[in-house]
Amino acid sequence: MTSRREIVGNQFNSFISILQKNKKILWLLIIIITLLWGYAWVLMKASLEYMGPFTFSSFRFGVGSVTLLLVVWLLKIGLPAKKHWKHLIIVGFLQTTVVFLLVMYGLRFVDAGKSSVLLYSMPLWSTILATKYLGEKITPAKLSGLLIGMVGLLAILGWDIWKEPNIKMIFGEFLIIISSVSWAVANVYYRIKLQSLPKLQVNAYQMFFGTIGIVIATLFMEWGKPIALNVHSIYYILFTGILASALCFTVWFLILSLIDMATATISTLLVPMFGLLFSSLILGEKMSIGVITGSILIIVGIVVAQLPKNKPRHR
């Protein structure tokens, strides 16, 4: 008899075959995933009405980790070798623990849409770090993109400092920028130490180890604080944990195997665009001139930095 895991594996391979043959379905999936990730920012912000930021992250990534490990088991990916565990713990700390503790705490003071833009400035920091630690060259396109993106960040921060100097909001913005840098460091560290492993396996186990860090921080910082578990808060946890964190990442890593990295990086820019849109429509957040200008510059900067080098023509 065919086992359940074999059935799931066969269905997964059939799904890959469909995506390889039909690019329209592939791009539809990219739009759906980035749309869901953009919407998740609204739920992350709204969750703060019901529990502390660290508590929500513990619930979210606890549920997400269990779901993702189940996917890894069903797909017969298996356990990583013990020699990789130390590196997975480090990536989990940088990419899950640090990023989402700082992001969720920063969301207490910063609008959801603006937060999504600041976090997704990550490719700019990755470009800088890749130059130093991966030996990648700074091309004119990358340099131009970096400068444009940095001007975008300054536009957002500078506008807030000049127009409405709210210390808590500016502090929250810096926390989210630090989380963006941490995400970039995790990406570079992954490239150096873990690139040989399956991406889905890396994400599952780094999320698991990162979740342990979040739970420890929650126990120290928010133990005994009120938690309101109701229809709304449970929906926020399940949506962001199962759908946005686990299943979307499963499909995203599948997509990464079918498209080039530059296209994938540019595609993720849809996330802050959807984040700004949903935050404005659902939460009623107002987009200042600084946020609009800065967002456009950051997105343009990342696109320019990812432009492929012109190949020499053969005569």
Side-chain angles (χ1 to χ4, degrees), residues 283-296:
L283 300 178
E285 294 179 356
K286 295 181 179 179
M287 289 185 280
S288 67
I289 295 174
V291 170
I292 295 172
T293 304
S295 300
I296 292 172

Side-chain angles (χ1 to χ4, degrees), residues 6-313:
E6 288 174 336
I7 292 172
V8 172
N10 292 334
Q11 290 175 340
F12 190 74
N13 291 331
S14 298
F15 184 54
I16 293 175
S17 179
I18 292 171
L19 292 181
Q20 288 174 328
K21 295 175 182 177
N22 196 324
K23 295 297 182 182
K24 289 182 180 178
I25 295 178
L26 182 68
W27 278 102
L28 178 62
L29 276 177
I30 289 174
I31 292 172
I32 291 173
I33 289 171
T34 52
L35 188 149
L36 293 175
W37 280 339
Y39 174 60
W41 282 91
V42 172
L43 305 188
M44 289 160 62
K45 180 74 172 181
S47 71
L48 298 177
E49 298 179 14
Y50 302 99
M51 63 193 75
F54 298 168
T55 302
F56 173 76
S57 294
S58 292
F59 281 128
R60 172 188 176 178
F61 288 103
V63 170
S65 295
V66 171
T67 306
L68 206 48
L69 290 173
L70 179 61
V71 171
V72 167
W73 178 76
L74 287 172
L75 295 177
K76 300 182 179 180
I77 295 176
L79 282 168
K82 287 187 177 180
K83 65 179 181 179
H84 297 304
W85 283 31
K86 177 181 73 174
H87 304 307
L88 288 167
I89 290 171
I90 292 172
V91 171
F93 175 74
L94 292 169
Q95 187 168 322
T96 297
T97 306
V98 174
V99 170
F100 287 96
L101 287 180
L102 295 183
V103 163
M104 286 303 301
Y105 196 82
L107 273 171
R108 296 177 62 193
F109 316 112
V110 185
D111 287 347
K114 185 193 297 183
S115 299
S116 67
V117 173
L118 293 175
L119 182 64
Y120 276 83
S121 66
M122 175 273 297
L124 301 175
W125 309 113
S126 291
T127 300
I128 295 172
L129 292 170
T131 302
K132 181 172 178 60
Y133 296 103
L134 300 179
E136 295 185 3
K137 294 182 179 180
I138 284 281
T139 62
K142 286 184 178 181
L143 181 59
S144 300
L146 279 172
L147 293 175
I148 295 170
M150 292 303 173
V151 170
L153 284 175
L154 290 174
I156 293 175
L157 296 174
W159 179 269
D160 289 340
I161 293 171
W162 174 64
K163 193 70 177 177
E164 40 183 334
N166 184 319
I167 298 300
K168 288 185 177 180
M169 182 175 63
I170 295 168
F171 173 67
E173 290 173 354
F174 275 111
L175 287 182
I176 295 169
I177 290 174
I178 292 170
S179 69
S180 179
V181 174
S182 182
W183 186 8
V185 173
N187 286 343
V188 172
Y189 190 88
Y190 159 78
R191 290 272 299 275
I192 296 172
K193 299 293 186 179
L194 296 168
Q195 195 169 10
S196 61
L197 298 183
K199 290 185 177 68
L200 189 57
Q201 184 187 61
V202 171
N203 194 59
Y205 286 96
Q206 72 81 16
M207 186 182 292
F208 171 72
F209 290 125
T211 301
I212 294 174
I214 291 175
V215 170
I216 292 172
T218 303
L219 293 176
F220 274 100
M221 302 297 293
E222 294 181 356
W223 178 259
K225 292 190 176 181
I227 302 172
L229 291 176
N230 51 40
V231 174
H232 298 291
S233 60
I234 293 173
Y235 165 67
Y236 300 160
I237 292 168
L238 294 180
F239 184 97
T240 57
I242 296 176
L243 198 56
S245 295
L247 297 184
C248 278
F249 272 114
T250 300
V251 179
W252 180 251
F253 285 125
L254 168 61
I255 290 172
L256 284 179
S257 67
L258 302 175
I259 61 177
D260 61 89
M261 189 56 64
T263 303
T265 302
I266 294 171
S267 299
T268 59
L269 296 179
L270 292 170
V271 178
M273 291 174 65
F274 285 133
L276 285 168
L277 176 63
F278 287 130
S279 299
S280 177
L281 294 176
I282 299 173
L283 300 178
E285 294 179 356
K286 295 181 179 179
M287 289 185 280
S288 67
I289 295 174
V291 170
I292 295 172
T293 304
S295 300
I296 292 172
L297 288 172
I298 290 172
I299 290 170
V300 170
I302 294 172
V303 171
V304 170
Q306 296 296 321
L307 289 176
K309 293 164 65 176
N310 292 326
K311 295 181 179 180
R313 295 181 180 178

